[in-house]
Amino acid sequence: MRVIIQKDYDKCAKWAANYIANKIKVARPTAAKPFVLGLPTGSTPMGVYKELVNMFKSGKLSFQHVVTFSMDEYIGLDLDHPQSYAHFMFENLYNHIDIKKENINILNGMTKDYAKECATYESKMRHYGGVNLFFGGIGTDGHIAFNEPGSSLTSRTRVKTLTQETREDNSRFFGNNINKVPKTVLTVGVGTIMDAEEVLIMASGASKAQAIHDTIEEGVNHMCAASALQMHQHGIIVCDDAACSKLLPKTVDYFKQIENLKFEGV
Ligand code: GLP
């Protein structure tokens, strides 16, 4: 696992955006072989999306041959609902870049056939030859996408019930009214994310410190879905000082040292 420790949120967002942009450019995607990108919602990716939009606007990056898969969606919220994840993605990214509509994949929270919706999502990913890079945030309980504690680490796209903690965390998007936060969601599985060639998780702020400690310093455990990253060959966590505040000093020093040596070309 690669752990990139940055001073603050802005630096993490820049790092993640540059990483994603570079991966797209290096892949030289075409219509026949697009770059497949998994994407999250939440506060964490907002700065990253801003950077990516700026890169597009300044002509440095194109999404013409990028195919995206959103991580998750609330059940019962449609595309026009201001808190739906689909709406979030259009508002914060898709409306501002040159991505083709047919290349945007979003789970339909209004579906009447959950099993079919989830199976189709998985088969679409396979159709493209899998996801090149899955970018994600992390919940305070260590969840990735909406894989709450206890999620199988080999899980696929499916229905999940949210924990009280996650509904409380996310109530800030619903006028601080937890009763308005849906109880169930559609989400890609931990296994779905782990199948990607690369996984990049970003974490910022002290509220994520326990999750980052559990992810990096504790064992692989379904009570912290992000800990599955320990089993991934190309897992990266980019986090700020506050999110690292529960890591041992020697852990922080070691990961910083590795990155400094890389910078020196070792
Ligand atoms: C939600 C999303 C996750 C996200 C997490 C953290 O539960 N399903 O994909 O990573 O919240 O959100 P935030 O970035 O707002 O802290």
Side-chain angles (χ1 to χ4, degrees), residues 131-145:
V131 174
N132 295 110
L133 173 63
F134 231 121
F135 171 46
I138 187 169
T140 52
D141 58 8
H143 73 244
I144 45 176

Side-chain angles (χ1 to χ4, degrees), residues 40-45 71-72 85 137-139 143 145-146 166 170 172-173 208:
T41 54
S43 317
T44 307
M71 286 186 139
D72 41 20
Y85 281 177
I138 187 169
H143 73 244
F146 264 135
T166 296
N170 290 0
R172 69 189 192 278
F173 297 113
K208 304 293 171 70

Side-chain angles (χ1 to χ4, degrees), residues 23-24 49 99 102 112 157 159 173 176 203 206 217 221-222:
K23 283 282 153 184
I24 296 172
Y49 294 158
I99 191 164
E102 63 270 26
K112 290 205 168 64
T157 305
V159 175
F173 297 113
N176 288 316
E217 293 184 318
N221 190 319
H222 67 169

